[in-house]
């Protein structure tokens, strides 16, 4: 499903100063795999996730998604791919501040041209699954940190993506809510063959996955298979 | 140092609907203690922290800080207390988007009327301690999630507060960076008698503290002493 080769990303900071956020990263992820990405703060994980999610382009290297060379597509084609195939949970959630939890979760269905009553039905259902019943009409600043995170997860899943990219999806959650989320993701993985890439700092979360990619200073330094428990 | 009695906070949501975020919470924290606050997502931890940090007032109950009844103070007096005595690490960082890491960290010193060269010297020093040398002139959106979190921690500590309130200060950090932060906090605790209140979901962090207060549905349900290891 995913093939990256030689991905390099350099942020220019002034004229003579650049941050090499990713350096020559190459790997393959097959359809239906569940992969964790780990590494120190600043090692390039979110940068990599943005490229995988078609939100950003590398400065060097190639990214082939479901057989298409993404680096050659234009903005409209990328937006269409994102809406149809990809669910993205951002590290800082990126919710719309003036939209309710229900509206935020339903947003991908607006782009997918789903009718209003069906959107509302699906959004309510997913909020209930995530333990947010009673919070539908709250704005993000009327939600706790962990509740905002769960709205972001709901928004990423509501359009039944084939690829879920989750940047530290349980960072704000207590252990029970974290376990519930991992159980939900593993169910979707098993029953729908959802391909999942999770950035995490927590070994517990990583060992729920089949494989761990480790970054350090923008390089891929390890690609480990997780032993079956 | 801290005495709260019967704290209650109710968020009105429309005319007939309210969320009881805190319900009759009472406890005392002595000067020099290091206390963890734990509880499920939505249980009222951040709401409690905002009241302790003089950023919000309860609807019922009293908060006495260093002998002063905070609930009777006006906006200016509260702002002055916050700047002089309290360092606050927000769950979502609350950095100024158009200010650099250096400027964000130095901000409490501007309010404290510290001269520019001294501010810059102290801000650089604390960024170095936090592993952010080389990132001084980056804006928050040019920093990784864990780097933003560390800037927020630096800003909370730079004016040598007597009380540190940290709402999930290691949520975005890998285990090494987390350990470095906890080591820094414990050093300040031991050497300067800093009073520390940390909201955390992670038992490792909580067991670095002397005491754990547990919230559930807005109530204080436990107040446990942590055994010495
Ligand atoms: N727009 C930008 N301009 C300059 N440097 C940037 C920019 N965005 C990110 N960086 C730098 O690129 C590096 C990688 O950032 P990235 O966000 O990918 O890290 P990360 O692995 O996700 O870290 P964390 O675990 O803290 O979230 C960091 O050192 C960061 O300072
Ligand atoms: N402005 C608001 N209006 C309405 N309800 C609110 C508001 N702010 C918070 N709440 C509600 O109050 C409750 C407590 O919120 P709080 O942010 O204190 O929880 P928390 O314990 O910090 O959770 P988390 O671990 O997820 O950060 C939540 O159920 C939340 O939905
Ligand atoms: Mg990141
Ligand atoms: Mg909170």
């Amino acid at each position: 499903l995913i093939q990256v080769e030689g991905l390099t990303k350099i942020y220019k900071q002034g004229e003579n100063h650049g941050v090499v956020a990713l350096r020559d990263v190459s790997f393959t992820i097959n359809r239906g795999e569940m992969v964790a990405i780990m590494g120190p703060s600043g090692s390039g994980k979110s940068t990599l996730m943005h490229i995988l999610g078609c939100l950003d382009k590398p400065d060097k290297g190639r990214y082939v998604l479901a057989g298409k060379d993404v680096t050659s597509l234009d903005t409209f084609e990328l937006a269409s791919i994102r809406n149809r195939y990809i669910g993205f949970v951002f590290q800082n959630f990126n919710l719309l501040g003036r939209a309710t939890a229900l509206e935020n979760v339903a947003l991908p269905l607006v782009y997918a041209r789903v009718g209003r009553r069906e959107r509302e039905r699906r959004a309510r259902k997913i909020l209930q699954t995530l333990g947010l019943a009673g919070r539908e009409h709250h704005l993000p600043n009327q939600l706790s940190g962990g509740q905002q995170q769960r709205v972001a997860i709901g928004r990423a899943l509501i359009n039944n993506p084939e690829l879920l990219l989750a940047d530290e999806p349980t960072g704000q959650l207590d252990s029970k809510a974290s376990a519930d989320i991992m159980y939900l993701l593993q169910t979707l993985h098993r029953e729908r063959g959802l391909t999942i890439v999770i950035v995490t700092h927590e070994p517990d979360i990583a060992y729920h996955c089949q494989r761990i990619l480790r970054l350090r200073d923008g390089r891929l330094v390890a690609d480990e298979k997780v032993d079956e428990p």
Side-chain angles (χ1 to χ4, degrees), chain A residues 143-155:
Chain A
L143 294 171
S144 78
Q147 290 167 345
Q148 291 174 30
Q149 187 154 45
R150 282 178 276 162
V151 171
I153 293 169
R155 181 179 65 181

Side-chain angles (χ1 to χ4, degrees), chain A residues 26-188:
Chain A
S26 305
F27 58 82
T28 302
I29 296 180
N30 293 316
R31 210 175 271 279
E33 273 196 272
M34 190 163 167
V35 180
I37 297 181
M38 300 187 83
S41 174
S43 54
K45 305 179 298 294
S46 297
T47 301
L48 176 59
M49 293 288 271
H50 276 70
I51 291 172
L52 293 180
C54 300
L55 293 159
D56 202 5
K57 290 198 177 185
D59 295 308
K60 296 181 193 162
R62 277 208 321 157
Y63 173 28
V64 180
L65 175 66
K68 295 199 192 67
D69 184 339
V70 163
T71 26
S72 66
L73 299 179
D74 68 34
T75 328
F76 293 108
E77 290 167 307
L78 287 176
S80 168
I81 284 185
R82 283 200 304 271
N83 179 249
R84 288 174 60 198
Y85 297 119
I86 302 176
F88 203 115
V89 185
F90 291 88
Q91 191 169 1
N92 66 348
F93 320 148
N94 274 356
L95 300 179
L96 296 185
R98 293 184 213 164
T100 64
L102 199 71
E103 291 163 341
N104 265 289
V105 168
L107 199 56
L109 301 183
V110 174
Y111 291 135
R113 309 235 182 103
V114 172
R116 197 178 65 75
R117 278 175 66 186
E118 175 68 2
R119 291 204 303 266
E120 194 163 313
R121 186 190 71 76
R122 285 163 66 173
R124 278 189 197 285
K125 181 152 176 281
I126 213 166
L127 285 178
Q128 182 147 37
T129 306
L130 294 164
L132 296 172
R135 294 287 178 276
E136 283 96 355
H137 304 298
H138 285 231
L139 298 177
N141 67 4
Q142 298 171 328
L143 294 171
S144 78
Q147 290 167 345
Q148 291 174 30
Q149 187 154 45
R150 282 178 276 162
V151 171
I153 293 169
R155 181 179 65 181
L157 292 174
I158 199 168
N159 203 20
N160 297 320
E162 296 192 17
L163 171 64
L164 176 70
L165 300 170
D167 200 340
E168 300 189 41
T170 60
Q172 309 281 351
L173 300 177
D174 55 280
S175 47
K176 166 137 198 338
S178 278
D180 291 346
I181 294 298
M182 289 315 291
Y183 180 74
L184 171 65
L185 295 188
Q186 290 189 303
T187 305
L188 294 170

